[in-house]
């Protein structure tokens, strides 16, 4: 039993390797470009889900406002692609439609730079999540209050974006991108490249989570989730542990949002509001928030359902999603990933009984 426990993390690493081969080597050779683009979109959502699995599954923080950090990455990328499409020192078309004499807002200008955009995608969520997390965790805000506050921020940001039509495109959003860091987006080879980058980032995020789960920090995060007062009594500050996990989850959400934009070709307030944040949580809950692969597979499943079933059967999709939640909550509170552990436990128990029986017969 002890040997199996020590090997379990390496089984996860092998699973990540197999998952990488399927997405990076097999899928591009067997799927059409349409499904490659869809799989890339699901992978972008899965990046967000990996962070939620760390913060919620391991840290016990119900982060229902990941749309905020998704928006930071998505709109940073969208502003850069919009300016790149418009050309050097040119004003984006949507701004001219509202005001022919409009000038590019001052906060847009830095996003003409490739490096500034990449840094903004990483550093903006660090700053926002750091300030927000410090304010909440130091005041020991947790549970339902934490979830409501984070979701309220997602709603507020979506309303703000909708109301700033001349700066962000409002409800119409930002779209009609032609270039991605100098590469033409209409070229299938470049679309495949963006897909490979997205999947590569997903694999990196999974490896980061895998390392954190088996590290001293991962053990402390679990202890903080299960016995916060006891951790504080032992001399550790649970607020700092939560803050680190919260910031890492925010960065992953921002990266997912940044890659979502060139894959889909548009970003609107609908993709960053409360409903989007709830869908992220839904995928993680369905797959299994406490596992490594559960959030990824759950997010991909929810993404497929939203883009496929929701478009052909929009009313029925809501009922299917609700039914899935009821079934998972009642019979699989740890998500679909718990089925694997149950099957593995059953196999080990059966094998143990057979070995004992064989020993008795041999004796």
């Amino acid at each position: 039993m002890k040997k199996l426990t020590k090997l379990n993390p390496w089984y996860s690493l092998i699973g990540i390797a197999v998952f990488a081969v399927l997405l990076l080597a097999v899928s591009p050779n067997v799927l059409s470009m349409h499904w490659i683009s869809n799989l890339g979109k699901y992978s972008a959502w899965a990046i967000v889900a990996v962070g939620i699995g760390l913060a919620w599954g391991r840290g016990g923080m119900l982060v229902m406002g990941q749309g905020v950090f998704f928006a930071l990455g998505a709109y940073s990328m969208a502003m850069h692609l919009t300016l790149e499409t418009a050309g050097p020192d040119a004003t984006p078309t949507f701004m001219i439609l509202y005001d022919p004499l409009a000038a590019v807002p001052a906060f847009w200008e830095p996003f003409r730079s490739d490096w500034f955009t990449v840094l903004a995608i990483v550093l903006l969520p660090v700053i926002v999540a750091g300030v927000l997390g410090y304010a909440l965790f130091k005041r020991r805000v947790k549970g339902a209050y934490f979830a409501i506050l984070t979701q309220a921020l997602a709603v507020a940001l979506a309303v703000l974006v909708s109301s700033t039509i001349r700066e962000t495109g409002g409800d119409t959003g930002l779209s009609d991108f032609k270039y991605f860091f100098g590469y033409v987006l209409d070229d299938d080879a470049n679309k495949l490249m963006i897909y490979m980058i997205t999947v590569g980032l997903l694999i990196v995020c999974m490896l980061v989570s895998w390392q954190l789960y088996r590290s001293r920090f991962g053990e402390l995060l679990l202890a903080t989730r299960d016995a916060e007062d006891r951790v504080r009594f032992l001399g550790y500050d649970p607020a700092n542990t939560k803050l680190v996990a919260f910031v890492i989850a925010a960065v992953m959400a921002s990266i997912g949002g940044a890659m979502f934009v060139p894959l889909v070709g548009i970003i609107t307030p609908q993709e960053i509001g409360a409903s989007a944040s709830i869908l992220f949580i839904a995928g993680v809950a369905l797959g299994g928030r406490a596992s490594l692969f559960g959030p990824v597979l759950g997010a991909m499943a929810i993404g497929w359902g939203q883009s496929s079933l929701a478009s052909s059967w929009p009313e029925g999709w809501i009922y299917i999603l609700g039914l899935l939640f009821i079934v998972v909550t009642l019979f699989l509170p740890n998500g679909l990933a718990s089925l694997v552990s149950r099957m593995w436990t059953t196999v080990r128990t059966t094998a143990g009984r057979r070995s004992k029986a064989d020993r008795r017969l041999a004796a």
Side-chain angles (χ1 to χ4, degrees), residues 330-342:
L330 291 178
F331 302 103
L332 295 171
N334 293 323
L336 297 177
S338 61
L339 286 175
V340 178
S341 60
R342 288 185 181 183

Side-chain angles (χ1 to χ4, degrees), residues 188-274:
D188 285 347
N190 294 334
K191 291 180 180 179
L192 181 60
M193 176 193 68
I194 297 171
Y195 163 80
M196 300 290 277
I197 293 174
T198 305
V199 173
L201 290 171
L202 172 60
I203 299 301
V204 169
C205 289
M206 293 178 70
L207 288 172
V208 170
S209 293
W210 173 78
Q211 180 60 37
L212 289 175
Y213 286 178
R214 61 194 294 268
S215 68
R216 192 71 174 267
F217 171 79
E219 295 177 356
L220 184 59
L221 188 61
L222 275 176
T224 302
R225 182 195 68 183
D226 297 334
E228 184 173 333
D229 292 334
R230 189 172 298 178
V231 170
R232 187 177 291 108
F233 176 77
L234 292 174
Y236 296 97
D237 188 353
N240 294 335
T241 305
K242 289 183 176 182
L243 181 60
V244 172
F246 186 59
V247 170
I248 293 174
V251 172
M252 290 184 181
S254 181
I255 293 173
M259 297 312 302
F260 176 86
V261 171
L263 286 164
V264 178
I266 188 173
I267 183 66
T268 67
Q270 293 181 351
E271 275 84 34
I272 66 173

Side-chain angles (χ1 to χ4, degrees), residues 38-60:
N38 281 339
L39 189 57
K41 179 174 65 174
Y42 307 153
S43 298
W45 283 332
I47 294 174
V48 185
V50 172
I52 295 176
L54 176 66
W56 183 30
R58 294 283 170 156

Side-chain angles (χ1 to χ4, degrees), residues 5 7 47-48 52 89 112 118 126 137 265 270 281 296 319 363:
T5 302
L7 288 174
I47 294 174
V48 185
I52 295 176
D89 301 324
R112 293 187 186 275
V118 173
V126 171
F137 298 137
Q270 293 181 351
I281 291 291
V296 174
Y319 292 109

Side-chain angles (χ1 to χ4, degrees), residues 15 70 80 84 87 106 123 137 167 206 215 226 241 244 258 277 299 308 322 339 347 354:
F70 187 85
H80 173 74
E84 192 176 17
L123 295 181
F137 298 137
E167 291 80 12
M206 293 178 70
S215 68
D226 297 334
T241 305
V244 172
S277 298
S308 300
L339 286 175
V347 170
R354 287 180 179 176

Side-chain angles (χ1 to χ4, degrees), residues 117-165:
T117 302
V118 173
L119 288 175
I121 291 169
V122 177
L123 295 181
L124 278 178
V126 171
I127 296 171
V128 175
V131 173
L132 176 63
Y134 184 86
L136 294 178
F137 298 137
K138 288 298 182 179
R139 288 170 173 77
R140 301 186 184 182
V141 177
K142 56 184 178 179
Y145 299 102
F146 177 81
I148 292 171
L149 283 171
T150 54
Q151 189 175 41
L153 288 175
V155 174
L157 181 61
V159 172
L160 176 63
V161 172
S162 297
S163 60
T164 53
I165 300 175

Side-chain angles (χ1 to χ4, degrees), residues 345-359:
T345 301
T346 302
V347 170
R348 285 191 303 174
T349 303
T350 304
R353 290 176 180 175
R354 287 180 179 176
S355 62
K356 289 181 179 180
D358 292 340
R359 290 174 184 173

